[in-house]
Amino acid sequence: MGDAADIREVFLAGISHKTAPVELRERFSFDADRARLFMERAAARGIEEIVYVSTCNRVEVYAAAADARRAVAALTEILGDFSGVPSSESEGAVYRKYSREAVKHLLSVASSLDSMVVGENEILGQLRECFRAAVREKKTGPVLNKLFHQAFRTAKRVRTETGIARNPLSIAFIAVEMARKIFEDLAKRRALLVGAGEMGELILRYLTKHCIGEMVIANRSLGNAERIAREIRPDARIIPLEDAASAAREADIIVTSVSARDFVFTAPAAREIMKRRGAKPLFIIDIAVPRNIDPAVAELAGIFLYNIDDLKTIAEENHKSRMGEVEMASRLVEADSLEFMEWYEGLAAVPAINRIQIQFEEIRRRELDRYRKKRLKHLSDEDFGIVADLTNQIMTKTLHNPITHLKKIAGSSRGHRGGRSIEDAVRIIMEMFEK
Amino acid sequence: MSEAFFILSILLLAAASGLSILSLHGDSDRFHAHARRSFYLAGAFFLASGAVRYYPFALRDFVRIASTIWGHFYILALLLFLILAYIDLFRWSAHWRAVAAVALPFITVVCALFLPFLGSDRVMEVGLANHLLPFHVIFSFMGQLFFFFSFTGSLLGIFLENRLRRRSSLRSIQNFPSLEAIDAFIGWSLKRAAAFLAVGIVSGVALVWINYGRVFLFSFKETVIYVSLFFIALLLYLRRDGRLGMMKLNAMNAALFGAVLAMYIASNVILSSGFHSFR
């Protein structure tokens, strides 16, 4: 960075689920090769740093350039070329943010505050991947490197210091979390899936992810059950639907999603099962509509029965609880974006600080040489080294306050983009030390 | 100095109780970390209050200390501290958060109840010159305290099962152990309660036999210990039998411990002037 005027400004242009439908978003979504070409073209147009971010809910381009307004115009043009979407069509959907707004936006996106499902975990991994791709292509520099690392740190803070990601929203995940509140170790438990519906399959995936000990699938079509087992749990035992009642006697978790007019399990049958189980609890998830399990089963001691509406209600409550954490998370994002802006605004003072340091260093060297030749020539090299260190320390300490002050001026003058205050301050400091 | 340390210890325990309840309900790891820190700091001040009061301590002083109203309480509270620290540092560390949210307020109340006896010079007329007494006191206390921890587990189990049956959000039970883990903790506590009480009773019988030539003096204290052991044995049997569900077992455990606590208070405080054994 040669001069204060060359300091790169951070900005972004993008569309998201909040501003554009999927039909428009998908046209801005480029594969890896095309994204690389896009960044190449942007670099050729004078955009010094660029990261192209594409997820299912957003396409955003983060960049840093000396002249942000001109760079945004260039970027819009290139985006139009690559997507084939004329600017008249995308204009209302594309948002542009500069400096602090852009920084805050990235930190919010990384922290999943701007996601369709607030608190979801995928976005951070996707951002990391997009950033890595830009780093591989050498399209990032000091500003975006620092900004993205700050965003990853903030996202981690938001996840650990708030409860935003704690309570699950997916029905299948809630079902498994409930099972984990009943059973200590799922690896020692047996699950029975009755009916191989889509939701049941999803629950089976989650149970497998949490290392369920044994899995039995009861289905009308054995072929379909075998396909699911092959894909998710190859060692699952497949049984015909008629054998589900006897398999239920050995199961700790039962998931039912079979289409049937009558109850698959009635209260007397469940009572029989519980007699054999003693005090051991039984967890039943009935996601079928109409329901497969007699509601009276829920009254039996040791049985925890959840139907699809129960799980949906919990998901809604969890969503409310996540939204309650948004305010705290936003405060963290605000604080971290301020911290980044302090560093970023301090960059404006770097050329001036360099000039001052070089000038003072020249004076120090000159004077040291003069003394070395005359009044300090009797000193050994070691002793002279100590004197040199001493002068260096004095210089560093003398310059500490003016440099800190310059950084503050840089921060306050950046808002009106003049840079005059820094120049004035540097001139005043120099005049004070000149003959 | 001992009094100042003790009061500091109570204040820290109160803070730890509040924080541990918040950490369980409020879903915050910071509250949990602060609760633990406050608990250990309270323990350090509690130890310091005893060290200042009883220094220099020799084993032969145990009977003298245990026979004072303050010393009697000090041993009880010290064992409570030690068991809770053991739960945190060893097998049940993952579930300390939940256990502490019930146990810490109880320890705080016990300590606060003994505040009026801080400078008391009331002494129990022991009259049992026998080395078995320290063992009898410690084992009996340990048995009752493990029974108390099974009670805390039962309260947690009742709350958790109730929330699961109501199908409420995960938020309120996020930091709870699983029902199975709570059940295992209750079993662990009850087995230790039974073992310690049995040894306490055997040493007590030997003590009474040596001193009086009898095995039972028909005192309230003896009765409470025998009843406690009977209750614990009954609970262990019913758990093994498996006919009662977790909820009923937990409710029964809580009720039986409540009965023992009521008997203890009745035999020690209400039946005569407060802590009538100490004159």
Side-chain angles (χ1 to χ4, degrees):
Chain A
M1 281 177 216
D3 205 307
D6 291 339
I7 297 302
R8 296 167 188 175
E9 187 175 0
V10 180
F11 62 92
L12 80 93
I15 55 169
S16 75
H17 62 102
K18 288 182 178 170
T19 63
V22 66
E23 294 80 16
L24 186 58
R25 293 203 306 271
E26 66 193 8
R27 291 166 74 184
F28 285 95
S29 176
F30 313 139
D31 61 21
D33 286 341
R34 218 164 150 66
R36 189 172 46 78
L37 284 175
F38 169 77
M39 289 193 285
E40 289 288 348
R41 176 87 72 85
R45 293 285 297 271
I47 298 172
E48 287 99 336
E49 299 182 43
I50 187 163
V51 176
Y52 171 81
V53 172
S54 173
T55 71
C56 20
N57 288 322
R58 69 186 65 246
V59 176
E60 285 172 346
V61 183
Y62 292 86
D67 187 342
R69 309 281 155 172
R70 191 185 290 175
V72 164
L75 205 58
T76 310
E77 195 188 311
I78 304 167
L79 270 173
D81 285 352
F82 270 68
S83 62
V85 179
S87 60
S88 56
E89 199 181 317
S90 64
E91 193 48 44
V94 175
Y95 45 82
R96 298 171 183 87
K97 293 177 196 280
Y98 300 90
S99 292
R100 195 175 157 196
E101 282 305 305
V103 170
K104 211 170 134 184
H105 182 80
L106 176 64
L107 267 53
S108 298
V109 169
S111 307
S112 182
L113 295 178
D114 199 54
S115 297
M116 194 179 268
V117 179
V118 173
E120 51 103 354
N121 285 319
E122 286 78 20
I123 183 71
L124 192 57
Q126 291 166 326
L127 270 184
R128 274 188 211 279
E129 196 40 57
C130 296
F131 175 64
R132 271 191 216 118
V135 171
R136 270 198 304 273
E137 297 303 318
K138 297 187 173 58
K139 290 293 176 286
T140 61
V143 177
L144 287 192
N145 282 341
K146 178 90 175 172
L147 176 59
F148 272 79
H149 283 120
Q150 177 66 62
F152 301 147
R153 268 199 306 278
T154 303
K156 195 175 169 195
R157 269 190 81 191
V158 166
R159 271 169 178 72
T160 52
E161 292 179 29
T162 75
I164 203 152
R166 279 203 183 138
N167 298 313
L169 301 182
S170 126
I171 300 285
F173 193 35
I174 289 171
V176 176
E177 283 299 297
M178 286 296 177
R180 291 177 64 200
K181 280 286 156 224
I182 296 169
F183 303 107
E184 181 64 4
D185 186 1
L186 290 183
K188 292 177 186 159
R189 301 290 150 211
R190 176 181 290 179
L192 168 66
L193 178 67
V194 184
E198 201 177 311
M199 183 66 79
E201 197 178 320
L202 203 55
I203 294 176
L204 177 59
R205 276 185 202 278
Y206 276 112
L207 282 172
T208 306
K209 199 173 160 189
H210 285 91
C211 308
I212 187 78
E214 282 180 63
M215 174 63 68
V216 181
I217 305 174
N219 201 32
R220 278 198 193 94
S221 149
L222 293 183
N224 198 25
E226 274 160 11
R227 178 192 60 78
I228 291 173
R230 247 193 333 271
E231 281 176 16
I232 306 169
R233 183 74 189 235
D235 65 341
R237 190 154 62 88
I238 315 291
I239 57 170
L241 191 60
E242 303 78 60
D243 294 348
S246 58
R249 288 185 207 129
E250 307 299 325
D252 301 295
I253 300 167
I254 302 174
V255 183
T256 62
S257 64
V258 73
S259 152
R261 277 198 308 172
D262 298 321
F263 292 134
V264 175
F265 292 111
T266 57
R271 200 171 288 119
E272 274 305 307
I273 291 173
M274 288 315 285
K275 261 187 201 167
R276 295 164 60 103
R277 292 182 67 81
K280 281 201 296 180
L282 174 63
F283 182 42
I284 307 177
I285 308 153
D286 181 5
I287 46 177
V289 180
R291 288 174 291 178
N292 290 157
I293 311 287
D294 181 355
V297 166
E299 306 303 319
L300 298 176
I303 292 188
F304 299 89
L305 170 64
Y306 285 69
N307 63 36
I308 189 75
D309 279 1
D310 298 328
L311 296 173
K312 274 184 187 160
T313 308
I314 293 171
E316 278 160 22
E317 281 179 34
N318 287 351
H319 184 252
K320 272 188 215 154
S321 130
R322 279 192 180 193
M323 295 315 282
E325 299 289 325
V326 166
E327 196 184 327
M328 194 181 165
S330 302
R331 279 204 296 271
L332 289 177
V333 164
E334 182 75 38
D336 282 3
S337 57
L338 273 177
E339 192 187 306
F340 176 81
M341 289 309 289
E342 260 175 39
W343 170 85
Y344 173 62
E345 285 165 349
L347 286 179
V350 169
I353 291 167
N354 285 346
R355 262 167 48 206
I356 293 172
Q357 280 175 331
I358 290 167
Q359 193 152 348
F360 273 74
E361 182 61 18
E362 274 172 15
I363 296 170
R364 190 179 75 88
R365 287 262 161 229
R366 204 164 51 230
E367 291 305 306
L368 271 177
D369 287 347
R370 203 156 60 85
Y371 272 74
R372 183 66 171 139
K373 283 172 192 157
K374 293 178 183 170
R375 296 173 75 175
L376 296 180
K377 62 182 177 188
H378 59 284
L379 290 184
S380 66
D381 284 351
E382 193 182 339
D383 289 342
F384 188 76
I386 294 170
V387 173
D389 280 349
L390 176 69
T391 57
N392 192 34
Q393 284 293 322
I394 292 170
M395 188 190 83
T396 309
K397 292 203 166 155
T398 309
L399 286 179
H400 177 75
N401 278 344
I403 286 174
T404 310
H405 194 59
L406 270 180
K407 282 183 179 170
K408 276 188 192 156
I409 293 172
S412 58
S413 66
R414 201 171 173 83
H416 36 85
R417 303 169 54 78
R420 293 289 305 161
S421 305
I422 305 170
E423 292 305 309
D424 290 346
V426 171
R427 186 174 47 76
I428 291 165
I429 291 169
M430 292 307 189
E431 281 172 5
M432 282 164 67
F433 289 96
E434 276 167 8
K435 285 176 186 168
Chain B
M1 185 64 95
S2 173
E3 286 82 356
F5 281 149
F6 182 67
I7 290 168
L8 263 173
S9 171
I10 293 183
L11 292 175
L12 283 164
L13 272 177
S17 306
L19 287 164
S20 64
I21 291 168
L22 280 175
S23 84
L24 197 58
H25 182 69
D27 219 18
S28 168
D29 290 336
R30 270 182 306 166
F31 287 139
H32 171 54
H34 289 319
R36 276 188 84 224
R37 215 167 290 138
S38 304
F39 165 70
Y40 283 109
L41 206 54
F45 278 114
F46 184 81
L47 281 174
S49 79
V52 169
R53 184 175 284 262
Y54 298 118
Y55 182 81
F57 176 78
L59 262 182
R60 62 177 174 279
D61 297 331
F62 184 88
V63 177
R64 180 179 56 81
I65 292 170
S67 62
T68 63
I69 193 163
W70 174 257
H72 188 78
F73 148 73
Y74 189 83
I75 293 165
L76 177 78
L78 180 64
L79 293 174
L80 252 176
F81 266 108
L82 291 177
I83 298 175
L84 196 53
Y86 175 83
I87 288 169
D88 179 32
L89 299 174
F90 297 97
R91 187 173 157 195
W92 301 100
S93 56
H95 308 316
W96 190 84
R97 189 174 181 154
V99 173
V102 183
L104 277 174
F106 181 85
I107 301 178
T108 311
V109 170
V110 169
C111 286
L113 282 176
F114 272 81
L115 259 178
F117 303 104
L118 248 177
S120 172
D121 52 4
R122 287 166 64 182
V123 177
M124 199 190 329
E125 288 169 7
V126 182
L128 298 173
N130 193 299
H131 291 305
L132 278 174
L133 186 65
F135 295 100
H136 168 65
V137 171
I138 288 181
F139 280 108
S140 304
F141 273 166
M142 289 287 275
Q144 299 288 20
L145 292 177
F146 273 108
F147 194 15
F148 160 70
F149 279 103
S150 77
F151 163 77
T152 65
S154 291
L155 292 187
L156 289 172
I158 290 168
F159 182 83
L160 179 59
E161 189 161 348
N162 193 28
R163 302 302 292 181
L164 287 169
R165 285 196 167 278
R166 282 190 185 184
R167 302 166 185 92
S168 52
S169 108
L170 278 164
R171 189 181 161 82
S172 59
I173 52 172
Q174 189 74 46
N175 297 313
F176 272 68
S178 67
L179 269 181
E180 275 190 344
I182 292 174
D183 193 54
F185 175 73
I186 295 168
W188 178 84
S189 303
L190 281 175
K191 280 175 196 159
R192 270 141 197 86
F196 279 114
L197 268 186
V199 177
I201 286 175
V202 169
S203 57
V205 167
L207 192 64
V208 172
W209 178 258
I210 292 164
N211 282 275
Y212 302 104
R214 293 156 62 185
V215 290
F216 193 55
L217 295 176
F218 296 98
S219 71
F220 283 116
K221 282 195 174 66
E222 283 173 295
T223 312
V224 170
I225 294 183
Y226 279 109
V227 170
S228 301
L229 186 60
F230 170 72
F231 283 170
I232 292 164
L234 179 68
L235 285 166
L236 282 170
Y237 169 75
L238 290 173
R239 286 171 60 82
R240 200 180 175 81
D241 178 62
R243 259 179 289 184
L244 289 182
M246 270 187 195
M247 187 65 141
K248 281 183 188 156
L249 276 171
N250 285 337
M252 202 167 161
N253 196 350
L256 292 182
F257 178 79
V260 167
L261 191 64
M263 278 192 283
Y264 181 82
I265 293 169
S267 65
N268 280 285
V269 186
I270 298 169
L271 291 180
S272 182
S273 59
F275 292 95
H276 53 88
S277 302
F278 300 89
R279 300 186 194 281

